[in-house]
């Protein structure tokens, strides 16, 4: 999508044609029941709805954002995509609420696009991939992400869109806090505090009854490929929890091994290189260990992430202020059939019978926004 333009918006074509229909803001009341039914039946494509105290909302638009719009068809497609998996049954039970959530997410993504454009922020595919990986890691891996996303009403492509929005807000926060000082000492402290995320090792092990047994097996094990080492673990290891996986413990930080009472194991594993094979003793017997992989992020490589973490509260406040201001400036007008736009919380809210004073895009109050950007998955790292 070209920066500054929105889905369904065709620059230079002018506004779609249609006639005006004045409405109240009472979506729940009888005043709009007939209109809602007509819209649902597709029999009133020429109608234009109006939000209270705002300019008209174009026919077929779920929301008008400045000179662009998100169509009702696009919203319906996105909602159907999110609810396609049977695991989404719980969110599907209240489709209107889920629809408001989806519309709010689509609107927020465009607000973030516009705010990023105004502040010269661009994100790369690598940054988006990195943010997606953070989301995946935060829930325990690809399989868990698939199931949790489905239950929350997210398809994987929609989740990648969310990752892009998060990458943009992260970079926007970096830009807005660029002049705030962070000392090298602060960076080093933050690095050590978060070392579990920066240094991990993946090992496979064969657990035997004693250190002597492990030492006896070491020459044979050292000559094996990683695959053959896994086969050895399946036939010889006494660890019933890992032998079926070839003794593979997966990528773990030092603390995960230490908390299992494997201090010496952790010390040796983090001192070794990928491909090394060694023996180590523990209260459970002896281990023949193969280091399969080591993932280390240096302090220099982690500096941007650490700086963002140190300045998180200031960055979040600055980003939210910019998003709130951008939202208000865009004059967002939600079709009252779907709800109203709350600029301060960046959410589509349910209009009520007393909603005459609720504008679709109210100005931000003095003192700034009241809540961070909302989404149902783990927070941005």
């Amino acid at each position: 999508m070209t920066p500054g333009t929105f889905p369904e918006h065709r620059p230079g074509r002018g506004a779609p044609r249609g006639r005006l229909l004045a409405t109240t803001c009472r979506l729940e009341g009888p005043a709009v029941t007939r209109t809602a039914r007509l819209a649902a039946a597709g029999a009133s494509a020429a109608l234009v709805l109006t939000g209270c105290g705002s300019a008209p909302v174009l026919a077929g638009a779920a929301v008008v954002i400045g000179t662009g719009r998100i169509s009702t068809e696009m919203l319906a497609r996105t909602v159907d995509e999110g609810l396609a998996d049977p695991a989404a049954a719980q969110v599907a039970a209240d489709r209107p609420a889920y629809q408001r959530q989806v519309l709010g997410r689509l609107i927020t993504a465009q607000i973030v696009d516009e705010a990023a454009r105004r502040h010269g922020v661009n994100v790369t595919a690598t940054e988006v991939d990195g943010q997606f990986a953070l989301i995946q890691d935060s829930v325990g891996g690809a399989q868990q992400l698939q199931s949790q996303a489905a239950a929350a009403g997210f398809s994987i492509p929609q989740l990648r869109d969310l990752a892009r929005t998060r990458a943009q807000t992260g970079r926007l926060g970096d830009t807005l806090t660029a002049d705030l000082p962070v000392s090298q000492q602060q960076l080093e402290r933050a690095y050590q505090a978060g070392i579990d995320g920066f240094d991990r090792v993946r090992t496979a092990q064969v657990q035997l009854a004693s250190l002597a047994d492990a030492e006896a097996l070491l020459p044979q094990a050292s000559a094996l490929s990683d695959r053959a080492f896994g086969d050895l673990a399946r036939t010889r290891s006494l660890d019933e929890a890992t032998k079926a996986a070839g003794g593979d413990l997966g990528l773990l930080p030092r603390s995960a091994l230490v908390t299992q009472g494997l201090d010496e194991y952790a010390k040796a594993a983090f001192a070794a290189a990928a491909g090394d094979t060694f023996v180590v003793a523990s209260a459970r017997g002896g281990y023949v260990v193969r280091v399969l992989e080591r993932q280390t992020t240096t302090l220099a490589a982690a500096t941007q992430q650490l700086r963002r973490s140190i300045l998180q509260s200031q960055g979040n406040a600055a980003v939210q202020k910019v998003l709130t201001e951008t939202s208000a400036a865009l004059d967002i007008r939600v079709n009252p059939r779907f709800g109203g736009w709350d600029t301060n919380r960046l959410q589509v809210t349910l209009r009520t019978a007393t909603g005459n004073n609720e504008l679709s895009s109210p100005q931000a109050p003095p003192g700034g926004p009241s809540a961070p950007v909302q989404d149902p998955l783990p927070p941005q790292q």
Side-chain angles (χ1 to χ4, degrees):
M1 182 173 66
T2 304
T5 64
F6 303 128
E8 309 298 328
H9 171 48
R10 297 176 176 85
R13 292 281 298 274
R17 296 174 182 174
R19 62 187 179 86
L20 299 181
L21 174 70
T23 71
T24 70
C25 285
R26 296 192 294 272
L27 287 189
E28 316 288 77
V32 295
T33 300
R34 181 171 177 274
T35 300
R37 286 175 181 168
L38 288 172
S44 187
L47 295 182
V48 177
L49 305 180
T50 62
C52 296
S54 67
V57 178
L58 300 174
V63 60
V64 173
I65 307 176
T67 58
R69 71 175 190 167
I70 296 171
S71 70
T72 54
E73 292 80 8
M74 178 185 178
L75 175 60
R77 286 196 305 270
T78 307
V79 168
D80 289 343
E81 180 182 327
L83 299 180
D85 195 302
Q90 186 172 349
V91 293
D94 189 351
R95 187 182 177 96
Y98 173 73
Q99 188 169 247
R100 288 192 296 274
Q101 179 192 101
V102 170
L103 185 56
R105 199 165 69 231
L106 293 173
I107 295 169
T108 298
Q110 296 195 5
I111 292 169
V112 172
D113 277 347
E114 178 63 13
R117 185 190 67 80
R118 293 182 180 192
H119 288 270
V121 168
N122 294 294
V123 296
T124 65
T126 299
E127 288 175 292
V128 175
D129 289 344
Q131 194 58 235
F132 185 86
L134 284 174
I135 295 173
Q136 181 169 281
D137 288 349
S138 70
V139 298
Q143 185 174 352
Q144 291 84 348
L145 179 63
Q146 181 79 41
S147 61
Q148 289 193 31
F154 273 90
S155 68
I156 294 303
Q158 289 171 357
L159 204 56
R160 289 196 177 277
D161 289 340
L162 175 62
R164 180 176 182 274
T165 297
R166 287 187 172 186
Q168 286 177 303
T169 56
R171 284 290 305 279
L172 187 58
D174 294 341
T175 298
L176 297 173
T177 59
D179 294 333
L180 298 181
V182 174
S183 70
Q184 187 65 24
Q185 186 178 30
Q186 285 177 293
L187 291 171
E188 290 171 357
R189 282 201 303 266
Y191 182 77
Q192 290 304 320
I195 195 65
D196 278 2
F198 300 124
D199 196 11
R200 298 183 292 177
V201 67
R202 178 178 164 221
T203 60
Q205 47 87 10
V206 181
Q207 182 182 342
L208 299 168
S210 67
L211 179 61
D213 289 342
E215 289 173 335
L217 187 61
L218 179 62
Q220 175 190 347
S222 297
L224 298 175
S225 66
D226 289 350
R227 181 173 181 176
F229 187 95
D231 292 337
L232 178 66
R234 291 183 185 92
T235 58
R236 295 289 304 274
S237 182
L238 301 178
D239 185 356
E240 296 296 333
T242 65
K243 65 185 300 181
D248 192 341
L249 300 184
L251 271 170
L252 295 173
R254 186 187 300 264
S255 64
L257 295 169
V258 171
T259 55
Q260 296 178 49
L262 299 174
D263 301 60
E264 292 302 316
Y265 187 117
K267 182 178 179 180
F270 278 88
D276 287 352
T277 306
F278 56 88
V279 298
V280 64
S282 81
R284 303 170 195 174
Y287 292 92
V288 181
V289 181
R290 168 70 58 85
V291 176
L292 301 175
E293 182 183 359
R294 180 79 177 273
Q295 287 189 359
T296 302
T297 304
T298 65
L299 174 59
T303 291
Q304 184 183 55
Q305 180 181 342
L306 293 170
R307 178 183 170 83
R308 185 179 295 169
S309 176
I310 292 167
L311 298 174
Q312 183 175 21
S313 60
Q314 297 99 312
N316 284 350
V319 168
Q320 191 67 33
K321 183 174 184 293
V322 164
L323 296 184
T324 301
E325 292 170 348
T326 304
S327 172
L330 286 173
D331 185 26
I332 295 167
R333 289 162 279 143
V334 172
N335 185 325
R337 166 185 166 192
F338 301 108
W341 179 245
D342 187 327
T343 288
N344 302 314
R345 290 185 294 167
L346 301 181
Q347 292 179 347
V348 174
T349 59
L350 180 66
R351 290 186 185 274
T352 67
T354 58
N356 284 340
N357 60 352
E358 182 184 350
L359 300 180
S360 285
S361 185
Q363 294 293 321
S370 58
V373 176
Q374 302 291 314
D375 68 62
L377 290 175
Q380 179 170 303
Q381 300 295 311

